[in-house]
Amino acid sequence: MIAAFPVHGDERPTPAFVPGTGTRTDVKPFYFAIPAPRGQILDRKGRPLAQNSVVHRLQLTVPADQRGSLETFTAWLEKEIAACQHDFPAARMPDADVLKRHYESRRELPVTVSDAVKQELTIDAQKHPHASARAEYERFYPQGNMAAHLLGYVSADGAPPVGQVQRGEPLWQRTRGAVGLEAAYHKQLTGTDGTLCLMMTDAGTIAYEQVFVPPQAGRDVVTTLNLETQRCAENALDHCGHRCAMVIVDSSTGDIRAMASHPRFDPNAFAGGISSEAFTKLSQDIEGPLFDRAVQATYPPGSVFKPFVVLAGLRAGTVDAQREFECGPTLMIDGREFDNWSKDDYGFFNARAALIRSCNTYFYQSAMMTRDMPILYMAREFGFGIAPVLPLKTSAGSLPRSAPSNGDLANLSIGQGVTEASPLQVAMAMSTLANGTCRPRPRLVMHTQSQSGHIGDAAMPCRETIMPVSQTDLETVRNAMYSVVNHVNGTGKAARLKKIAVYGKTGTAQWVLRGAKANVVWFAGFVDTNPPLAFAVMIEGNAGEGGLSGGGTAAPVITKVLRDIEAKPAAHGVKYENTRVDQENDPLTEPMASGYYYGEPRPAPPTRYGGTPVEGFFQRLFR
């Protein structure tokens, strides 16, 4: 019927004339809108993540003498399709209801008798005089299911036209963005339709066909994603074997270099129209492939929350960096036992040692000194409890307004209880630690651009808050996070690299999955590249599944990506100084001897608000 249409830039030509039928009475004109191709979605280097392809459909025009009745119309089509199938195996009879509606109102127009095919249809006019091919634009995702949750997918824009042919109705089904960036930037991605004039004779042939106004493509959306980093992240998650998510952020600008959720889906399945059965299977899959865990799901952050508890104590002046608390196996708080992650007694730890070994009992005691308001203030300043600003739907997570009991305060100090955060929130908190100045706003789209290169909708990097801690306090936490990865006893040593310093924090938390208790494990931090890249990886455990930990399960997943960055920094858009990363092996605590250390008495028992002994509401249990 028509070939592929030219796509113009910003200038739209004005048609010179609109033809009439002249003195011919056997010709009927039709004017159709040619749906415009959607703009592309690109990575930061201009590589396509979503674009358009041209597909083809076979059409047959039923001769006038075969249109006397629906039965005659149908019988002719069946015979002609059978004759075409040798040359066009995709040819098939339309559904009976569709064919009936076409006969009642549109019998002069060609009938579509095939699904969309990629290859161009070459028709021998002598052999198949009533056959024609129609070219259409269809959405195409060249990277398959990569970044599927971010890109989203398209769906049909309204019902197919029925009844009498209307002037300017679309030549084929228009689409619109359903979710993701396809929906958020639908207006910009949508172009301007073209115009096709088609004149059909009563005999069923095309007397005249011309594209008066070519369609104008929509604007391209340029994201902050880096294709190599995104690919590495998704490959790492694919081999994880669990439901999981990962976010990697440029800590200087807030640019999201990679953001992935597993399992995922292939948006190409939606491009040509997905069947109700296939969509139901996807939407009801218990693994949730349509659910974006990176930005919409929230989980207890566990021990990745602990650096902010340390910062709160330092800022409030309640617990300095060298203040030691016993890292025992259990504390009794208001008559309830609160466990450490280990049943061993590790002696006295300061803040650095407590972060390296992720000692819960240290943080229970530290929080009792600092109390809830400084901790909650620090958490909010680092973005917990606040929905990240993105063109996608994001979750704010959960941060309590207070910790009314000592038990609540103990849970808060180790990122448990009602506190929850998304992987994106954790990554942005780590980016704040990495840049040392402010909490940047996450940025997923840099700008849109027209087909001629004119830039618009620019989203400039911006900061949301100035970091409310001193550089001295910041270095205390950073040094400890360095040791989490690079100390021989660090819980995150699986993420250690030889050439780039990795700063991290492991986390293992308990949550409820479909009514049963399960673990969720984390590894979050940043790498000393230029610019520094902050990251967070989260892995969901199943109910009753043991053996998961932040250091043993989550850290090796992000390490696969970090090693690729170390090997190919230019591909990931970073640089680094090629220096050796030292491994630490200093003792984390001195041996205890009759209550003395370094020849001096240990600090007095912690006090609450400068006076009331802490023993009044918790005491150490020995096992």
Side-chain angles (χ1 to χ4, degrees):
M1 182 174 174
I2 55 175
F5 314 105
V7 179
H8 284 210
D10 298 326
E11 299 297 327
R12 290 183 49 78
T14 302
F17 71 98
V18 176
T21 59
T23 58
R24 294 187 61 173
T25 59
D26 64 332
V27 174
K28 184 176 182 180
F30 296 92
Y31 298 92
F32 293 98
I34 306 169
R38 290 175 70 78
Q40 301 180 97
I41 302 178
L42 310 170
D43 88 331
R44 64 188 303 110
K45 297 181 180 179
R47 293 167 292 193
L49 302 170
Q51 54 184 189
N52 306 290
S53 63
V54 177
V55 296
H56 307 270
R57 296 181 191 270
L58 182 67
Q59 296 189 310
L60 292 174
T61 303
V62 180
D65 59 0
Q66 300 296 323
R67 304 175 194 159
S69 68
L70 177 59
E71 292 74 16
T72 304
F73 192 91
T74 303
W76 184 91
L77 269 180
E78 289 175 340
K79 180 180 178 182
E80 194 65 21
I81 288 172
C84 289
Q85 283 180 330
H86 180 269
D87 295 327
F88 308 106
R92 57 165 180 78
M93 277 295 290
D95 293 339
D97 289 343
V98 173
L99 187 60
K100 183 174 183 293
R101 288 195 297 269
H102 184 95
Y103 175 79
E104 290 172 347
S105 306
R106 300 162 177 263
R107 68 189 71 173
E108 307 97 327
L109 297 179
V111 181
T112 302
V113 294
S114 79
D115 292 328
V117 294
K118 298 291 185 182
Q119 65 272 23
E120 189 171 351
L121 301 178
T122 303
I123 299 172
D124 184 340
Q126 296 288 332
K127 189 175 180 181
H128 304 291
H130 301 287
S132 59
R134 184 177 74 197
E136 303 177 4
Y137 297 118
E138 186 173 273
R139 203 57 164 162
F140 175 59
Y141 301 88
Q143 311 302 332
N145 59 13
M146 183 184 295
H149 296 96
L150 304 183
L151 301 175
Y153 54 83
V154 296
S155 61
D157 188 6
V162 294
Q164 295 296 324
V165 181
Q166 302 297 312
R167 185 185 181 98
E169 75 174 40
L171 196 58
W172 62 82
Q173 183 77 58
R174 291 191 182 97
T175 58
R176 67 177 296 108
V179 295
L181 291 177
E182 292 279 22
Y185 282 83
H186 175 71
K187 182 178 179 181
Q188 293 90 331
L189 289 166
T190 301
T192 305
D193 291 348
T195 303
L196 170 72
C197 175
L198 186 67
M199 290 191 175
M200 300 293 299
T201 68
D202 288 344
T205 61
I206 299 174
Y208 179 85
E209 178 183 16
Q210 181 178 343
V211 176
F212 290 163
V213 179
Q216 178 186 351
R219 299 179 66 85
D220 294 339
V221 173
V222 182
T223 71
T224 61
L225 298 176
N226 181 291
L227 190 60
E228 282 85 0
T229 312
Q230 183 74 27
R231 182 180 289 113
C232 283
E234 302 215 19
N235 287 342
L237 295 185
D238 286 346
H239 291 91
C240 172
H242 290 81
R243 299 173 301 276
C244 47
M246 184 187 297
V247 181
I248 300 175
V249 182
D250 178 338
S251 67
S252 299
T253 62
D255 285 2
I256 296 171
R257 296 291 188 92
M259 188 156 66
S261 175
H262 181 84
R264 54 189 186 272
F265 63 95
D266 186 355
N268 285 304
F270 294 82
I274 190 170
S275 68
S276 58
E277 294 81 6
F279 182 76
T280 298
K281 183 179 179 180
L282 269 177
S283 59
Q284 294 184 358
D285 188 333
I286 196 170
E287 296 293 291
L290 296 177
F291 184 51
D292 188 353
R293 289 173 167 80
V295 298
Q296 294 178 338
T298 60
Y299 310 86
S303 295
V304 297
F305 191 75
K306 290 175 179 175
F308 312 106
V309 178
V310 171
L311 287 173
L314 293 173
R315 184 178 188 274
T318 55
V319 181
D320 66 47
Q322 298 307 316
R323 182 62 184 267
E324 291 185 328
F325 297 104
E326 272 190 282
C327 184
T330 302
L331 284 177
M332 180 71 77
I333 302 176
D334 288 354
R336 175 186 166 192
E337 290 186 15
F338 283 76
D339 293 334
N340 196 2
W341 63 268
S342 170
K343 296 185 182 300
D344 294 330
D345 190 339
Y346 288 97
F348 283 80
F349 276 178
N350 61 18
R352 172 177 175 267
L355 284 172
I356 292 172
R357 295 299 296 159
S358 202
C359 175
N360 289 348
T361 45
Y362 171 95
F363 284 94
Y364 300 148
Q365 297 169 80
S366 173
M368 297 303 162
M369 295 286 292
T370 303
R371 307 308 297 172
D372 55 348
M373 288 298 106
I375 296 173
L376 293 171
Y377 166 79
M378 189 63 64
R380 280 190 292 271
E381 289 298 293
F382 277 83
F384 291 93
I386 302 169
V389 178
L390 278 184
L392 308 178
K393 182 180 178 182
T394 63
S395 174
S398 175
L399 189 69
R401 300 185 65 178
S402 66
S405 72
N406 292 320
D408 294 328
L409 183 56
N411 278 326
L412 174 67
S413 73
I414 61 169
Q416 286 279 183
V418 298
T419 304
E420 291 189 348
S422 69
L424 175 60
Q425 286 177 300
V426 173
M428 296 311 300
M430 293 298 162
S431 73
T432 308
L433 289 175
N435 72 49
T437 304
C438 65
R439 186 176 86 239
R441 174 171 293 178
R443 188 171 69 146
L444 182 56
V445 172
M446 293 194 287
H447 58 260
T448 66
Q449 61 188 29
S450 69
Q451 301 306 307
S452 59
H454 294 131
I455 292 177
D457 304 295
M460 302 303 294
C462 66
R463 59 190 184 188
E464 295 188 322
T465 60
I466 302 298
M467 194 166 62
V469 297
S470 70
Q471 288 301 305
T472 300
D473 293 348
L474 174 64
E475 286 307 311
T476 296
V477 169
R478 279 177 165 174
N479 290 338
M481 291 177 66
Y482 175 90
S483 300
V484 167
V485 177
N486 297 290
H487 194 283
V488 292
N489 292 316
T491 57
K493 60 186 177 182
R496 173 174 160 76
L497 300 179
K498 294 181 179 180
K499 299 178 182 179
I500 309 177
V502 180
Y503 300 72
K505 185 68 194 79
T506 57
T508 302
Q510 289 73 49
W511 68 311
V512 177
L513 174 65
R514 293 189 284 274
K517 292 182 179 179
N519 283 344
V520 57
V521 297
W522 296 83
F523 187 64
F526 55 93
V527 288
D528 190 17
T529 53
N530 182 19
L533 297 180
F535 59 82
V537 60
M538 177 284 309
I539 299 172
E540 292 183 20
N542 293 312
E545 181 181 15
L548 299 182
S549 68
T553 309
V557 174
I558 188 66
T559 304
K560 294 178 181 179
V561 182
L562 300 183
R563 285 176 179 163
D564 200 81
I565 293 173
E566 182 182 47
K568 299 178 292 186
H572 295 275
V574 299
K575 300 177 182 178
Y576 65 87
E577 294 183 7
N578 192 356
T579 58
R580 189 182 70 178
V581 178
D582 293 328
Q583 189 173 39
E584 301 173 334
N585 59 7
D586 58 290
L588 300 181
T589 186
E590 293 295 321
M592 290 189 294
S594 303
Y596 284 77
Y597 72 114
Y598 294 105
E600 298 291 334
R602 289 197 176 274
T607 59
R608 181 183 181 187
Y609 302 126
T612 306
V614 174
E615 302 100 301
F617 54 80
F618 76 84
Q619 63 183 16
R620 179 163 178 265
L621 293 183
F622 293 88
R623 287 184 175 179

